[in-house]
Amino acid sequence: MADSGAAVLVEETLQVFRDNFPGCEPTVGVAAPGRLQLSNFNNYLLILQALPMVTVVVGCQSSDGIISLLTTAKEADEPKRLEFPVPTESNPLSPGLPCWANYVKGVIQHYRAGPLPGFKAVMASNVPLGGGLSSSASLEVAMYTFLQQICPDNGDLVEKALACQKAEHTFASMPCGIMDQFISVMGKKDHALLIDCRSLEVTPVPLTDPGLVVLITNSNVRHTLTGSEYPTRRKQCMEAAKALKKETLRDVSMADLTAAESHLDAEVYRRARHVISEIKRTTDAAKALTSRDYREFGKLMVQSHNSLRDDYEVSCPELDELVAAAMDGEGVYGSRMTGGGFGGCTVTLVDAAAVENTIQRIKDNYSGTATFYITKPSRGAHVLKL
Ligand code: ADP
Ligand code: MG
């Protein structure tokens, strides 16, 4: 059974399949969730939860050696439907137009078993596209899970997440970390997951308190980026680590950084200060969450937001407005931007009794139009019973 919101999505997707591929009956259905970052922006230590919002893929195998794909996503670029032969060694897939299909083609190309048969598949999502909740990873992981049903691989979960990440790197030109795909594969109902991106160690932290609500607020803005924002920050962090004779900032202490301040460019210093302080905050936040100290966890969320805003400079006025409005009332533990920044969503930890007031206050104070989602930590990718 799919989760309730997803159940409707599955029914709609099955209908779209039948309408568009007359004479074929979908035999395989899978779902993979988007994810929410509760803590941390960088690729070191992260606290995340899988969302109840999912990408669904339904379809069937075919014997004609052709792959037919269709997305229902309104935001996806045209055409929404395309067909191509199953790739071979001498005829591999390559990225192209439409952009949305690159995520799917990348997964097909990097799939870890074969040879794949032809297939027809419809994909649909209730993860907002481009909202920082990782619709892209949920699409990749859903497609991978679909392929596992028609051509099983060895079932290794880490390898699965890595193949999906590779798809995003090589076909969507997005040098993302591993966490989005990881959480979409491994999400655990009622648990946040602490992920160490270096060792790929995953520690589940129960998040089941009925008095606690995780509220996502979508700013519904996404600022256009030049493309240099993330590479520049990565370069700056590497530069700081190198100046301190370490491989990464993970091995640099705040005391070492402070001592080196005069040798570092001011902006490089602030970027490094964000990363080093955020690693400490994430470790502390994991402890706070484990001991159900939501007040401490919330305090760390706000500190994190301020550091992302002032030192890492990836927030934007809309996200700052949403966080300020959320914090300006009773029963709110903490609030911060989530995802890559420059728009997208915030996450707010709030007492269940205060959630309605909080939503109203954000609506009243936000200059734009926000969308709200109350979420529970949900399971990772799974097969649907059709
Ligand atoms: P995020 O992952 O935060 O939602 P991204 O920019 O990384 O934002 O990914 C969004 C892109 O992923 C969309 O522009 C689209 O190309 C693709 N995408 C995601 N979900 C779907 C879907 N269901 N159908 C088609 N394309 C999708
Ligand atoms: Mg993404």
Side-chain angles (χ1 to χ4, degrees), residues 1 24 46 52-53 62 67 80 91 100 117 221 232 235 248 252 255 263 268 271 275 280 284 287 328 352 384:
M1 274 294 291
C24 299
L46 307 151
M53 289 95 108
S62 65
I67 296 174
K80 310 272 193 225
N91 188 23
W100 70 266
V221 299
T232 304
K235 228 173 75 204
T248 75
V252 177
H263 311 302
V268 167
R271 302 294 189 250
V275 172
K280 166 94 169 70
D284 292 348
K287 280 189 204 131
D328 190 23
L384 301 165

Side-chain angles (χ1 to χ4, degrees), residues 276-336:
I276 295 167
S277 65
E278 187 74 358
I279 292 169
K280 166 94 169 70
R281 274 190 296 274
T282 302
T283 316
D284 292 348
K287 280 189 204 131
L289 208 58
T290 311
S291 56
R292 299 180 183 235
D293 187 349
Y294 304 130
R295 217 160 281 287
E296 175 65 13
F297 189 87
K299 213 170 77 192
L300 292 162
M301 287 173 87
V302 174
Q303 285 174 9
S304 174
H305 182 80
N306 294 344
S307 175
L308 288 160
R309 180 191 63 200
D310 302 332
D311 276 358
Y312 215 62
E313 294 184 89
V314 292
S315 187
C316 63
E318 292 85 355
L319 292 173
D320 296 341
E321 265 181 40
L322 291 175
V323 168
M327 292 311 299
D328 190 23
E330 296 291 303
V332 179
Y333 296 109
S335 187
R336 70 192 291 272

Side-chain angles (χ1 to χ4, degrees), residues 55 71 73 76 100 103 124-125 128-136 139 168 222:
T55 298
T71 178
W100 70 266
Y103 299 88
S125 186
L129 269 61
L133 303 179
S134 211
S135 67
S136 58
L139 176 61
E168 184 142 350
R222 194 182 197 191

